[in-house]
């Protein structure tokens, strides 16, 4: 009975002490223990087996039981002590809470006492400082009153003195006094309601008005509108009057400047009237010489009369420019038929030189008419067209000397006076544009004649294919025209010049480049360049000579140079033209034309080498491969192909050394043309014996090695072939090798043969399979069963574009599954 009661007690205790995992984890963290009795998953059977692992260990069972009972007794004592210690906790807590509440009440009382004392202190301070604030306000008001009275005294005395000095024309004293009176008057703006203050303000305004009228009358007397200028040096009275005008209404100053400049330029309008000979463009230098003399004369006689901040010298020059632009525009409209290109360029050159002279002499701070535009400096660029642009004469001299590669001086800052006079020539620039159109037409004709006279360039095997010198001459002329036109205008004339550039870029591509590409001939007659892309199988194409190959490479290099330079020309034109017209600059069509020339040149080179290899491939397909008895060295047709490759490729490579990427394109296009043609002729070799197939496999491998070495064949410097080219050759020639391996395999048993075909050829289909069967010499009756078996064993194509990938992901093959298991086993072994 005791044992049953103990068991029931244990079960009840276990039910009560069933703790949650979080609680159990917290207990383990607070009371860490290694004793199995403290574990939550304690198992009595395992614990007993640990204590008594063998039958012999049961001999000391009494000792073990006594130890456990002793441990139980100690635990009971500890529990009892803890329980008794907790009986007074509640009472102690209540007592501590009451003590805390009393402490809070005492603290609250002390805070209230401190607050009351602070309020009393603040009130006491206010009572002490009340009298001090009153005295402070009184002091401030008294100071303001004294200051205002002093200002009023100064204002009243200043107004009286100002009126007296004005009547005596003492402008020097008036300039200093007037500024002081106006400064003092600003302090009385808030007192204008007082009649006396308002009266003083009106007297000041009246004095200013009288001063302005009096100064204008003095200048009119000194510089009358009719008659000659007043002789002698500047007047001190007028110099002081200018200082007074600086303080008066700005309109007085503008009126003085306007009348003086108008009187100063009156002689110019008389000397250069429209009906005078010196007014025409051929004597435009005299206009600029006259104003230079006048500026020197002004500096000597009147330089000290006007203040420096008036910039009178610059104002005279700017007004001269405005008058000159108007007069030149008027006379050019009247005599438009007499304007010639040389005369127009002469006038423009002299005018732009004069504008440059003004930019060096003056800052341009008086330009306020909005007719000029200060362009933002363009960002730095590697464009060769962005180099410093010298004057047209200097540039032409540099071209004659061939000194275009010398370092240029840094570009000068933008000219603020650019176009201030030369803007008037813009409506007549059509004469210049028409002249450039005519000159460029003659230049292209001269290029054509020179090419016919000099003949194709000589073979060059040292420095690569030479660029035709005519293209450099063309772009140098383009740059000269662009610089000249941009100095004249950045508007519609630049668009018209761009159209001319486009016209002659196309003509250069057609007449000089495409027109001089060698023509291929066949049994049906001549072929054009466009027909080169449509090669007819079986046509006999003549092989190009060494000179013709070099000519094609030279034209290709020239077209590449023109393509790159045209792109730079477009960027430069967009920088020169107005922002609103940038979208109308587009040379994409011309760049496409040069790209077409490049493609045609590469196609000619590929077709020439491809056609040279055709007889060898034809000989391969006509050999009796079923009669070959033993495998020897490479066949004669392979030697012939290699010979043609070694003859043509080094020449092409050396002449395209400066355009390496296009030589790579040539190699890729030749591989894409030759390999499919080789496989096509390979299928024509039928029937083939086992030994014949082995010989063909040896020949195919030899051709593969030659093609892989094609980019550096015959070169002393061996370079690794481009990866894109190697990939094409390996893929194409490996397919040819796999075809021959299928041909060499026995066709029985049929299932093994078909499976071998599917395994070796990734692009397997019934058409290729039938060609292979024809190469093996099988009869049609034998082929039908093999074709049917192939159709059965070919994998079913996926229904959608992503079907194959999705199926492979969802349902791996057994081989993939076994491979994954092996990888997993290796990983586990590595970890262990």
């Amino acid at each position: 009975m005791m044992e049953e009661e103990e068991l029931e007690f244990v079960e009840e205790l276990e039910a009560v002490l069933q703790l949650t995992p979080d609680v159990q984890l917290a207990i383990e963290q607070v009371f860490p223990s290694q004793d199995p009795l403290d574990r939550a998953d304690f198992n009595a059977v395992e614990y007993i087996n640990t204590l008594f692992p063998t039958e012999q260990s049961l001999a000391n069972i009494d000792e073990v039981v006594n130890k456990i009972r002793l441990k139980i007794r100690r635990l009971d004592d500890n529990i009892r002590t803890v329980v008794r210690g907790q009986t007074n906790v509640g009472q102690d807590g209540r007592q501590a809470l009451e003590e805390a509440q009393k402490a809070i009440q005492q603290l609250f009382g002390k805070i209230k006492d401190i607050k009351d004392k602070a309020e009393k202190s603040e009130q006491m301070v206010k009572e002490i400082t009340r009298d001090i604030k009153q005295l402070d306000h009184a002091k401030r008001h008294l100071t303001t009153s004294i200051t205002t009275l002093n200002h009023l005294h100064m204002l009243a005395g200043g107004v009286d003195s100002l009126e007296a000095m004005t009547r005596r024309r003492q402008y020097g004293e008036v300039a200093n006094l007037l500024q002081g009176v106006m400064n003092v008057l600003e302090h009385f703006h808030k007192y204008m309601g007082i009649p006396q203050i308002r009266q003083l303000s009106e007297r000041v305004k009246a004095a200013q008005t009288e001063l302005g009228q009096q100064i204008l009358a003095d200048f009119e007397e000194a510089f009358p509108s009719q008659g000659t200028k007043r002789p002698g040096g500047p007047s001190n009275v007028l110099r002081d009057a200018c200082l007074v005008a600086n303080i008066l209404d700005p309109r007085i100053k503008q009126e003085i400047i306007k009348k003086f400049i108008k009187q100063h330029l009156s002689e110019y309008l008389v000397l250069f009237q429209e009906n005078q000979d010196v007014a025409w463009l051929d004597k435009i230098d005299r206009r600029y010489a006259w104003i230079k003399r006048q500026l020197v004369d002004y500096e000597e006689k009147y330089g000290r009369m006007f203040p420096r901040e008036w910039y009178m010298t610059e104002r005279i020059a700017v007004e001269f420019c405005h008058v000159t632009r108007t007069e030149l525009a008027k006379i050019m409209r009247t005599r438009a038929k007499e304007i010639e290109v040389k005369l127009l360029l002469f006038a423009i050159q002299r005018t732009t030189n004069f504008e440059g002279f003004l930019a060096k002499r003056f800052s341009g701070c008086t330009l306020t008419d909005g007719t000029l535009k200060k362009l933002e400096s363009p960002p730095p660029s590697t464009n060769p067209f962005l180099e410093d642009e010298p004057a047209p004469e200097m540039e032409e001299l540099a071209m004659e000397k061939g000194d275009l590669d010398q370092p240029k001086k840094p570009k000068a800052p933008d000219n603020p006076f650019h176009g201030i006079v030369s803007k008037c020539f813009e409506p007549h620039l059509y004469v210049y544009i028409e002249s450039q159109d005519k000159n460029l037409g003659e230049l292209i004709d001269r290029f054509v004649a020179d090419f016919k006279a000099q003949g194709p360039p000589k073979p060059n095997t040292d420095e690569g294919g030479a660029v035709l010198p005519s293209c450099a001459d063309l772009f140098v002329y383009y740059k000269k025209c662009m610089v000249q036109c941009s100095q004249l205008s950045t508007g519609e004339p630049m668009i018209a010049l761009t159209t001319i550039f486009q016209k002659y870029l196309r003509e250069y591509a057609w007449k000089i480049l495409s027109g001089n590409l060698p023509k291929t001939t066949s049994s049906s007659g001549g072929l054009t360049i466009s027909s080169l892309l449509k090669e007819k199988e079986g046509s006999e194409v003549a092989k190009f000579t060494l000179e013709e190959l070099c000519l094609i490479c030279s034209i290709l290099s020239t077209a590449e140079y023109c393509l790159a330079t045209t792109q730079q020309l477009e960027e430069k034109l967009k920088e020169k033209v107005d922002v609103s017209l940038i979208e109308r600059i587009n040379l994409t069509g011309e760049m496409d034309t040069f790209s077409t020339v490049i493609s045609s040149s590469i196609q000619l080179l590929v077709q020439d080498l491809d056609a040279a290899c055709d007889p060898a491939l034809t000989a391969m397909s006509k050999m009796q491969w079923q009669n070959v008895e033993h495998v020897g060295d490479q066949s004669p047709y392979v030697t012939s192909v290699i010979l043609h490759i070694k003859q043509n490729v080094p020449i092409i490579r050396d002449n395209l050394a400066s355009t390496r990427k296009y030589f790579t394109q040539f190699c890729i296009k030749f591989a894409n043309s030759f390999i499919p043609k080789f496989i096509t002729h390979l299928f024509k070799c039928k029937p083939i014996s086992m030994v014949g197939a082995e010989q063909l496999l040896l020949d195919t491998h030899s051709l593969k090695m030659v093609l892989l070495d094609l980019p550096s064949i015959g070169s002393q410097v061996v370079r690794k072939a481009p990866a894109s080219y190697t990939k094409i050759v390996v893929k194409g020639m490996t397919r040819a090798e796999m075809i021959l391996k299928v041909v060499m395999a026995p066709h029985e048993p049929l299932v093994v043969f078909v499976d071998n075909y599917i395994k070796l050829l990734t692009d397997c289909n019934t058409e290729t399979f039938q060609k292979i069967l024809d190469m093996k010499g099988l009869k049609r009756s034998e082929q039908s069963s093999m074709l049917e078996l192939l159709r059965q064993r070919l994998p079913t194509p996926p229904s959608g574009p992503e079907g194959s990938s999705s199926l492979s992901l969802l349902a791996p093959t057994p081989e993939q599954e076994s491979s994954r298991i092996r990888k997993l086993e290796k990983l586990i072994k590595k970890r262990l």
Side-chain angles (χ1 to χ4, degrees), residues 418-438:
H418 176 64
I420 191 171
V421 179
S422 57
K423 197 78 172 177
C424 65
F425 298 110
E426 186 169 330
H428 305 277
L429 287 180
Y430 66 89
V431 178
Y432 173 77
I433 301 299
E434 291 174 356
S435 171
Q436 297 307 323
D437 188 3
K438 180 181 177 182

Side-chain angles (χ1 to χ4, degrees), residues 658-673:
S658 59
T659 56
R660 189 72 185 177
K661 63 179 180 180
Y662 293 116
F663 175 69
T664 303
Q665 287 188 20
F666 160 76
C667 295
I668 291 175
K669 286 189 176 182
F670 174 72
N672 283 328
S673 173

Side-chain angles (χ1 to χ4, degrees), residues 305-460:
M305 187 173 73
F306 295 100
R308 284 183 176 274
E309 60 270 18
W310 285 24
Y311 301 104
M312 285 299 296
T313 310
E314 181 176 331
R315 291 180 186 275
I316 294 172
V318 170
E319 183 63 24
F320 166 82
C321 292
H322 293 326
V323 173
T324 302
R325 186 178 65 204
T326 304
E327 293 297 320
L328 287 176
K330 187 190 304 182
I331 194 172
M332 283 192 291
R333 281 196 303 269
T334 305
R335 304 171 64 176
K337 295 182 180 179
E338 301 179 29
I339 300 176
E340 298 178 354
V341 177
K342 292 183 179 180
L343 180 61
L344 181 64
L345 291 180
F346 168 79
I348 291 173
Q349 185 60 46
R350 294 298 184 267
T351 303
T352 52
N353 290 344
F354 176 70
E355 292 172 349
F357 163 77
L358 295 180
K360 293 178 181 178
R361 179 79 181 275
F362 307 116
S363 62
C365 60
T366 62
L367 299 172
T368 56
D369 59 353
T371 58
L372 303 180
K373 295 177 289 185
K374 293 185 178 181
L375 301 177
E376 297 179 358
S377 58
S381 173
T382 56
N383 190 340
F385 277 96
L386 289 179
E387 62 189 5
D388 183 37
E389 294 156 358
E393 295 90 347
M394 297 301 296
E395 185 174 2
E396 188 172 354
L397 182 61
M399 285 189 290
E400 292 176 358
K401 295 181 178 180
D403 199 15
L404 292 176
D405 296 331
Q406 289 187 354
K408 305 293 190 298
K409 296 180 180 178
K411 189 174 182 179
D414 293 322
N415 181 1
F417 294 92
H418 176 64
I420 191 171
V421 179
S422 57
K423 197 78 172 177
C424 65
F425 298 110
E426 186 169 330
H428 305 277
L429 287 180
Y430 66 89
V431 178
Y432 173 77
I433 301 299
E434 291 174 356
S435 171
Q436 297 307 323
D437 188 3
K438 180 181 177 182
N439 292 341
L440 283 170
E442 295 175 354
L443 188 65
I444 294 295
D445 293 340
R446 180 166 64 84
F447 289 161
V448 173
D450 290 346
F451 191 91
K452 291 180 179 178
Q454 298 174 3
K458 296 180 180 180
N460 186 358

Side-chain angles (χ1 to χ4, degrees), residues 51-65:
L51 294 176
F52 305 106
T54 61
E55 293 182 0
Q56 289 78 7
S57 61
L58 292 175
N60 57 348
I61 188 172
D62 294 333
E63 183 182 353
V64 174
V65 170

Side-chain angles (χ1 to χ4, degrees), residues 200-219:
L200 287 173
S201 176
E202 291 174 355
R203 289 175 62 187
V204 172
K205 291 181 180 178
Q208 289 177 329
T209 304
E210 183 181 355
L211 276 171
Q213 295 174 354
Q214 189 170 295
I215 291 172
L216 288 176
D218 291 344
F219 269 94

Side-chain angles (χ1 to χ4, degrees), residues 26-86:
I27 292 173
E28 291 177 358
Q29 292 176 353
V30 177
F31 303 106
S33 175
Q34 300 295 330
D35 194 343
L37 295 173
D38 294 333
R39 297 177 59 85
D41 56 347
F42 174 73
N43 191 324
V45 176
E46 291 182 358
Y47 184 67
I48 292 172
N49 290 334
T50 304
L51 294 176
F52 305 106
T54 61
E55 293 182 0
Q56 289 78 7
S57 61
L58 292 175
N60 57 348
I61 188 172
D62 294 333
E63 183 182 353
V64 174
V65 170
N66 291 334
K67 287 182 181 180
I68 293 175
R69 286 177 179 174
L70 178 60
K71 191 172 185 179
I72 293 171
R73 193 177 302 114
R74 289 177 180 173
L75 289 174
D76 290 340
D77 293 340
N78 292 337
I79 292 171
R80 191 180 304 110
T81 302
V82 172
V83 171
R84 288 175 181 175
Q86 296 295 323

Side-chain angles (χ1 to χ4, degrees), residues 443 447-448 451 467-475 508 512-513 558:
L443 188 65
F447 289 161
V448 173
F451 191 91
V467 176
L468 297 179
S470 58
C471 72
D473 296 340
L474 177 66
F475 283 104
Y508 186 84
I512 308 298
L513 301 182
T558 304

